[in-house]
Amino acid sequence: QVQLVESGGGLAQPGGSLRLSCVASGFTFGNYAKTWARQVPGKGLEWVSGISCDVRVTYYTGAEKGRFTIYRDDAKNTVYLEMNSLQPGDAGLYSCARRLTNSLASGVDSWGKGTLVTISS
């Protein structure tokens, strides 16, 4: 059974940092691309970042470029999202997802339940 479990969310001040983790189980972690997405009430789902199997391809969308870093540790079956210089607009429920293949262009077939990020001074 595929499982994705996120952690690392919480309350951060503007300008602060958080590192989110997503631990996977139930499948061969290294064979699939991974994605982080954010849900914000009233705004729907926003794709935040993704990483391919061989780490050759990563992407960041919108205002996350230059502030967020995605990386993976296949030995720990974990994908991380390092978030720096946090802004109020970064708040939301962050979930990780498994892509159908090792391509970031493929669809998503599994989601974690998410970890909540709140930005407030």
Side-chain angles (χ1 to χ4, degrees):
Q1 181 182 1
V2 174
Q3 283 193 317
L4 300 165
V5 181
E6 302 91 338
S7 63
L11 175 64
Q13 293 184 339
S17 298
L18 287 172
R19 187 181 76 162
L20 307 184
S21 301
C22 173
V23 180
S25 61
F27 64 99
T28 303
F29 184 83
N31 289 351
Y32 297 86
K34 307 296 187 297
T35 291
W36 282 97
R38 174 176 63 221
Q39 285 185 300
V40 180
K43 294 182 66 177
L45 184 69
E46 300 175 323
W47 299 106
V48 174
S49 185
I51 187 167
S52 64
C53 295
D54 56 10
V55 199
R56 292 181 183 176
V57 180
T58 60
Y59 74 80
Y60 305 90
T61 55
E64 291 80 16
K65 291 181 180 178
R67 299 188 297 118
F68 290 9
T69 302
I70 187 171
Y71 59 101
R72 55 193 289 164
D73 185 340
D74 288 2
K76 296 182 178 180
N77 286 358
T78 303
V79 59
Y80 302 93
L81 186 67
E82 186 83 34
M83 306 189 297
N84 298 311
S85 302
L86 286 164
Q87 303 169 0
D90 296 325
L93 182 67
Y94 283 74
S95 299
C96 70
R98 187 185 79 164
R99 293 284 178 177
L100 286 167
T101 70
N102 62 355
S103 170
L104 287 167
S106 61
V108 168
D109 66 348
S110 299
W111 287 93
K113 294 183 178 180
T115 184
L116 186 64
V117 172
T118 304
I119 310 297
S120 176
S121 56

